[in-house]
Amino acid sequence: MSDLQGTLSEIVAALKAAGDRGKVADYIPELRTADPEMLGIAIAYIDGRLLSAGDASQAFSMQSVSKVFTLTLALGAFGDYLWDKVGREPSNEAFNSIAELERAKGVPRNPFVNAGALIVADLLLGSHQPRETIGEILRFVRFLADDGDIVVDERIARSERQTDFRNVALANFLAAFGNLRNTPERVLGVYAHHCAISLNCLQLAKAGTFLAKEGRNPSNGYAVVSAERARRINALMLTCGQYDGSGEFAFRVGLPAKSGVGGGILAIVPGVASIAVWSPGLDAHGNSQLGCAALERLAHCQGWSVFGAKP
Ligand code: GLN
């Protein structure tokens, strides 16, 4: 274990010295100020041990990593009905592609592209007030991380709503195809707020551990989801979690993972641990450049892959 602590510190030091850190997302004005020099990593083992290195205690914007948690909640409430409204196939275009949604006649490719996550937000909203639904999502993440300090960053939510023209278009397309129950405005409010949940790598790694432990929350043994559902969420993360960069990510890292444009990535080593990395510079697909590189190095060192053991 202490060896792994040394490995983590080495990975962070080597990557912090790297030249190309990618590009910080600037289409949400409040995200522009993130520092691309930041790099944090945390590992939460299913037996409760925690390891971290770099800027692992620094809070960042969860963005699309939150879609893992909204999907989990929606599957709990709606089960397989959800799959009538959203697909389970990888996407071939950017996470906010309008063309892809039009071609699919208003049924998003998967729950992790923006259109799919809007469907999930709409289901969770049901006939509640947006504030209640946002509160429910936040409570769920806090419960999973066993940490009441996780918050929604209202500034980021507001900032996203001021410039979310593409998401407005996607929500209106969904409504035009009869695939939304609530008005686009209400759904977009819930969506922007769950994307604006702010936490650090240690908190995120803990929140994801149920996916490494057959659906059970390690801190209290509570079954968050069945083992089968945990496997399926992991399958969706592997095939769709990095959008149109998912194939390359599976090739390089070999673990189910979900990224966000805040620079966070949650990765799962089934039966072993949950890993959170964060560095705000993004690659062309909107995935953390150093975060992917850190996961690639860590998975390689540890022999962690869902595709086979280290020779
Ligand atoms: N809130 C962001 C958006 O809608 C989330 C995108 C992401 O993290 N990939 O554009």
Side-chain angles (χ1 to χ4, degrees):
M1 182 65 65
S2 55
D3 279 3
L4 181 52
Q5 179 62 61
T7 304
L8 280 188
S9 303
E10 274 169 34
I11 290 173
V12 168
L15 290 174
K16 276 205 176 212
D20 183 8
R21 295 184 170 77
K23 195 172 165 300
V24 172
D26 57 5
Y27 72 100
I28 300 173
E30 278 292 330
L31 294 183
R32 266 181 215 158
T33 54
D35 179 359
E37 300 288 324
M38 292 285 175
L39 173 60
I41 185 160
I43 305 177
Y45 281 86
I46 60 171
D47 63 8
R49 286 170 301 156
L50 270 175
L51 279 183
S52 65
D55 305 299
S57 309
Q58 186 82 28
F60 61 89
S61 188
M62 205 178 190
Q63 294 300 316
S64 288
V65 183
S66 62
K67 295 170 183 174
V68 172
F69 302 100
T70 55
L71 172 67
T72 303
L73 273 179
L75 283 171
F78 294 92
D80 285 344
Y81 168 69
L82 189 135
W83 303 122
D84 290 351
K85 299 176 72 69
V86 59
R88 299 190 292 257
E89 294 298 340
S91 50
N92 203 25
E93 293 187 36
F95 60 81
N96 52 10
S97 170
I98 292 165
E100 196 166 63
L101 183 61
E102 177 153 41
R103 271 200 301 277
K105 301 201 169 24
V107 179
R109 296 286 293 178
N110 63 65
F112 294 148
V113 291
N114 288 12
L118 288 167
I119 294 279
V120 170
D122 179 49
L123 286 173
L124 290 176
L125 184 51
S127 53
H128 303 287
Q129 289 303 322
R131 196 176 312 148
E132 289 166 13
T133 306
I134 296 159
E136 184 195 358
I137 298 166
L138 180 61
R139 272 194 303 280
F140 185 54
V141 175
R142 284 176 170 175
F143 162 74
L144 292 174
D146 193 23
D147 194 325
D149 291 340
I150 297 169
V151 293
V152 172
D153 186 330
E154 289 288 340
R155 269 176 324 124
I156 290 183
R158 261 197 309 278
S159 178
E160 170 154 356
R161 285 299 347 255
Q162 278 159 12
T163 53
D164 62 351
F165 307 113
R166 290 192 76 93
N167 289 340
V168 171
L170 291 169
N172 278 289
F173 256 95
L174 292 169
F177 281 108
N179 208 5
L180 274 196
R181 298 172 168 193
N182 290 279
T183 61
E185 202 58 24
R186 285 162 64 88
V187 175
L188 288 159
V190 171
Y191 173 86
H193 279 79
H194 73 63
C195 286
I197 291 174
S198 171
L199 42 45
N200 63 37
C201 287
L202 287 156
Q203 292 165 324
L204 178 58
K206 283 180 76 180
T209 321
F210 75 101
L211 290 171
K213 197 176 170 154
E214 301 195 317
R216 291 190 178 273
N217 185 334
S219 41
N220 53 21
Y222 178 88
V224 181
V225 294
S226 66
E228 182 181 49
R229 183 161 290 161
R231 278 197 296 277
R232 288 180 158 172
I233 295 170
N234 285 337
L236 289 164
M237 289 168 74
L238 184 88
T239 52
C240 312
Q242 270 56 237
Y243 311 111
D244 49 338
S246 298
E248 177 69 12
F249 186 88
F251 183 83
R252 283 174 58 193
V253 180
L255 296 173
K258 181 74 206 82
S259 64
V261 292
I265 306 177
L266 171 67
I268 305 300
V269 193
V272 179
S274 157
I275 310 166
V277 293
W278 169 62
S279 181
L282 307 179
D283 66 16
H285 301 291
N287 302 317
S288 172
Q289 175 126 334
L290 294 190
C292 291
L295 284 170
E296 184 177 10
R297 289 184 186 208
L298 176 63
H300 179 80
C301 288
Q302 294 300 107
W304 285 339
S305 167
V306 293
F307 297 110
K310 197 174 182 174

